[in-house]
Amino acid sequence: MKPAPLLALVGVSAVVLFGGYALLSSRNAPTPVTVAAHAKFLPEFGAAADSAAAVIIRKNKTDLVLQKQGDTWVLPDKDGFPADSARVRDTLRTFAKAEIIEPKTSKPELYDRLAVEDPDADKSAATLVTIKDSGGKILCSVIMGRKQFDAAGASPLDDAAGPKNFARRAGEAQSYLISGDFHFEADAKEWMIRSLEDLRPERVRQVQVLKGDQVVADISRPSASETKYTLAQLPEGRKLKDDYVLTRLANSLAGVTFDDVAKADTVHQGAAEASTLRVKCFDGLVIDAKGTKKGNDWWWTMSAAYEPPPEAESKPDGPAPDAKPQDQPSDKPETAPSDTPNAAPQEAKPTAPTPDSASDKPKAPAGPSDALKAEIDALNERWKGWAYQLPSPKSTQMAPGLEDLLAPLPKPAAEG
C-alpha cells in the first residue's frame, strides 16, 4: 500500500477512537445543574406560606414545635407559652423569598462539609425544618446547613451579597447555596420574648423582702430626687455591706429576663423555700415577685397592684416668716383695751391659712391614673398563670436575707 492511503487510514482510525473516548467520557461525567438567575429555592412555598400552621425544627434527634393558635404562635412543649410571633413570621417569609445563588455538591460523602447531611446521623450538624398547614400537609421540608458570610470587601451590588445558607431540599441529592438570613434554632428560649420586666429605677420608692409573712429587709427613700436608700431598723453596731448594696436591691426589677417558663401551679408544689420581693413605686404601682426554690433553681411568679402612695409632707423647716417665736418677748408694748366709750370695735382680720393646714397638703390621688391602670392590667395579663426561672445571680439579688445586706462581723480575737 502506498504511504498516502496508509496515512489517511491511520488518521481516520484516530478520529474514530478519539470520538468514542469522548462519547464514553461524557456519559460518565456528572450532568451540570443549571439554574436560572434569581430562581426561587422553594417556588411552591411562596404562595402557601400564609397557610403555615406548624413549624417543626429537628436537631440532634430532638424536635422543637412551633404551633399557630389563632393569630398567635405558641410553644406546645412549654405548656403553650407564647412564642415570638413576629420572629416566626419573619422566618416563614425568609423561606418564601429564598433564592438559589449557586448549586453545590450532590455527593453524600461531601454533605458534611456544608452540614447538609442526614439530620439523624451521628454527629450531624444539620437541622431539618418542616413546615405544615393546619391539616398536617407538608408545605416544605428543608435540611439547613452552615451559614456563609461575605468577605469584608464584598460589594453590596453583588447579587450574592448578604446573608446566605447552604441547604438541601429533603429527599433530593442536590444541595445549594441560598440567600436569606434564616433562624432555625432548636432551643425553645430562642423563640420566646424573654423580657420579664424592666422597671425604671427612678420609679422605686420602697422595697421589702419577706420570708413567709415576716419582713426581713425594708429599704426606702423619701423622694425620687434622693438617690440613697435607708435600711429600716439597722441592727446596732452593724454597717451596710457596701455603699451600693441597697441600690442594687432597689433595682432588682430592672432589665429582668428569664431562662425558662412553666405553669405556676406545677412549680409551687413542694417548693423548699419561699421569698417575696415587694416593690412600691412613687406613683402607686406595687409589684410582688414570689420566688420558690426547687433544687438549685429559683422560680418566680409576678403580680401587679395599686396602693395609694403616702401623702407628701409639706411642713416648713422653720417658723413662718411672720410668726414670732413663742419664747421671745415682743419689743412693742401690748395695746391695752380702749377706755373711750365711742371707740369703734376693731374688725377681726381674716387669718391666713397656716402651712400646716390640711388644705395645703398635697392630696394622694383617689386611684391610679388611666395610664397606670392600663399598665397594671397589661402586666397581670402577661404574667397570670406563669412561673419564670430566673438566672441564679438575679434570684440571689431578689431574695437576700438581712445578713446579705450587712458587712460581716469582725472575727473574735484568739484567746491567749
Side-chain angles (χ1 to χ4, degrees), residues 77 103 125 195 260 381 416:
D77 291 342
S195 176
D260 203 356
E381 180 65 24

Side-chain angles (χ1 to χ4, degrees), residues 237-290:
R238 300 297 299 273
K239 296 181 179 179
L240 294 175
K241 186 177 183 178
D242 56 62
D243 291 340
Y244 303 101
V245 63
L246 301 186
T247 303
R248 291 195 295 270
L249 176 60
N251 297 346
S252 293
L253 296 185
V256 185
T257 59
F258 61 89
D259 288 340
D260 203 356
V261 66
K263 286 289 187 181
D265 54 3
T266 64
V267 169
H268 287 310
Q269 296 175 358
E273 59 181 286
S275 179
T276 299
L277 180 78
R278 179 166 296 157
V279 180
K280 300 182 179 182
C281 298
F282 287 104
D283 57 4
L285 171 66
V286 179
I287 295 178
D288 274 1
K290 181 180 179 182

